[in-house]
Amino acid sequence: MSKPRPLKVAFIHPDLGIGGAERLVVDAALGLQERGHSVDIYTSHHDPNHCFEETKDGTLRVHHVIPPFPRSLKGKFHILLAHARQLHLITHLLSPSAPNYDVYFVDQLSTCIPFLRHLGNARVVFYCHFPDKLLANGAFVEGEKKRKQISLLKQIYRFPMDWLEETTTRQADIILANSKFTARVTKSYFKTITQSLRVVYPGINVSAYESTVDPDDPDSIAVFSDKPTLVSLNRFEQKKNVALAIRAFANLKSKLPTKPLRLVLAGGYDSRLDDNLLTLDSLIHLTKTLSLTYTVITPPSSQKPIKIPPGNLTPNDPDVLLLLNFTTSQRTALLCSPSTVALLYTPANEHFGIGPVEAMVCGVPVLACNSGGPTESVLDGPREERTGWLRPPNTEVWADALLEILSMSLSERQALSDRARARARDLFSMDAMASGIEGTLIEAVRMGDVPQLMWNVWMMLFGFLIAYFVGPLVFPSPKR
C-alpha cells in the first residue's frame, strides 16, 4: 500500500492557552508533523507566558490573529463574542493572500465550518470535546432529568446560539469525539446530526513523560518533597471540583494523624477569567477552614508575574501546595517522583480527561470520579487488571480509597504501575491519536471537492446574523 501524500492542514482553535483541549491540539499537530504533514495552527489568543512550550519555541507554526472583539462585555456575551472572534479569525484564512490547505481541523467552536467548506473549498473535520449547549447552564450531569432552571430571557438568548452550534456542527464532513461518553451525549442532544461520531481518544507524547528530571532545574526543585504526595492536575475552574481533593486529603490526614502527607494542586490559571480568580480564592478559603497549611507558587522560570491572594502562607513544607501554570518539567517531576502516591482527578462527568492518562503513563495510581471519560481510560476492576479507582465524588469514600492506595504493598503497586503504563501506551499514546486523526483527514480529502451550494452559505450567514445582533439587542442576557 502506497504511503499517502503529505497534507497541508490548518488547525483552528479559539484560545491556545493551557488546558486539556489545547494539549490535544498541540499533540495532534506534533503527531501529524512527525508523519510528514505540514501543519499551521490559527488562534485568536496566544500568550507566550501562558501556553504550552511547543507553541512558542518554534516547534509548531502558530498564527495569532488578534481580534477586535473582547472575550466578553462586563462578564456577559461570552459565546456571542466567541463566534465573532472565530469569524474574524477565518477571514484571514479565506483571504486571497492566505495559503491553500487540503483540509481543516476545527475544534471547540463549529461556527466557521460552513464558511471553510464552501468559501475555502476544502473539507472540514470537527473534533467535539463537548457541546457548549450542555455546558451553558452549569456542569452537565448525564441522566439528570431536571436541569438547572434559567430565566426566559436567557432561554431566548441561548436559542439561536444553540441552533447555530448544532446546525454548523452537522455540516462537518467528519465529526470526531474525545470519548464514547461525548459521542453518545452529543448524538442524544443534537437530533439533526445523522452521521455517527467517531471516537479518537486524546493521546499524549509518552516520551515527554519519560524524560529524566533535571535535579538542578529551579522549576523541579520548587515542587520536590520527600513527603508522600497526592497530586491534582486541573485548571482552576469551579466545574473541576478540586475542593473534593482538599476535603478528602483533610479527611485522610485525620485518619492518619502521624503520617506526613502533602497535596499538590497544579493547574492552568488565567487572571483574565473570573472563574479562575474565584476558584483559587475559594480553594484557599477551604484550605484555611480545614486548618491545613498552604502556599501558592508559580514556576520560577515564569516571566509573567501573577498576583497571589494575600493570606497566611507557609512557604516551607506546607500541607497543600497550589501551583499556578505548571511547566512541563514540573509536571514530569511530580508524576515521576517516587514520592507521588496517587493522582486525584476530581471532575464528575468529565468529557474525557487527560489527567488520568498522564498519571497512568507514569505508573501512578489514579483516583477519579465514576462518571464520564475516566470510566473509559481507568480500569477499576477486576483487581488483577486495575489501573485505578473510580468512586462517586464523596469525601469519605475518596478518603477510604486513598487509605487503600496507601496500604498497597510494593509488589502490588509495581504490578498496578506496569498495567497502567501498558494501557496508556496501547490506547492513549500520541501515535495512536495521530494515526486516528491522520486517517480521518485523508478520508476527508478523498471525498473530493466540496459541492458549491451557495444558497446554503447565505442561509447560514442570515441565521448567524440574526443570532448575533438581533437576539442580544432585543433580549439582553440577565445578570447572574
Side-chain angles (χ1 to χ4, degrees), residues 10-16 22 25 41-45 63-72 77-95 104-117 119 124-129 132 161 164-169 172 460-461 464 468:
F11 279 59
I12 293 90
H13 184 78
D15 187 332
L16 205 57
E22 290 71 40
V25 167
I41 301 177
Y42 290 83
T43 184
S44 298
H45 180 79
H63 304 268
H64 179 196
V65 181
I66 301 174
F69 311 103
R71 289 174 59 94
S72 65
F77 307 121
H78 288 89
I79 186 62
L80 187 69
L81 290 164
H83 291 317
R85 289 160 69 93
Q86 186 177 75
L87 287 184
H88 172 265
L89 177 64
I90 66 165
T91 60
H92 292 260
L93 273 166
L94 299 176
S95 67
Y104 295 105
F105 183 92
V106 180
D107 78 313
Q108 286 196 330
L109 278 174
S110 57
T111 318
C112 64
I113 291 174
F115 302 98
L116 291 174
R117 289 184 78 244
L119 301 181
V124 177
V125 173
F126 181 68
Y127 194 95
C128 178
H129 299 280
D132 178 74
M161 302 294 116
L164 184 66
E165 181 182 21
E166 182 170 351
T167 304
T168 54
T169 297
M460 287 300 308
L461 182 59
F464 176 74
Y468 239 48

Side-chain angles (χ1 to χ4, degrees), residues 116-163:
L116 291 174
R117 289 184 78 244
H118 295 290
L119 301 181
N121 192 32
R123 298 292 178 173
V124 177
V125 173
F126 181 68
Y127 194 95
C128 178
H129 299 280
F130 206 72
D132 178 74
K133 171 183 178 178
L134 302 180
L135 299 174
N137 304 315
F140 172 81
V141 179
E142 189 177 22
E144 188 178 70
K145 295 182 179 179
K146 189 174 182 180
R147 303 233 36 218
K148 179 182 176 182
Q149 293 296 313
I150 60 173
S151 68
L152 176 61
L153 287 178
K154 186 169 184 182
Q155 289 182 53
I156 295 171
Y157 168 68
R158 281 296 316 185
F159 180 80
M161 302 294 116
D162 297 340
W163 171 85

Side-chain angles (χ1 to χ4, degrees), residues 383 386 389 391 399-408:
R383 190 179 183 90
R386 170 181 279 167
W389 283 253
R391 297 292 183 268
D400 288 342
L402 289 173
L403 272 176
E404 188 177 349
I405 293 171
L406 285 167
S407 65
M408 283 193 298

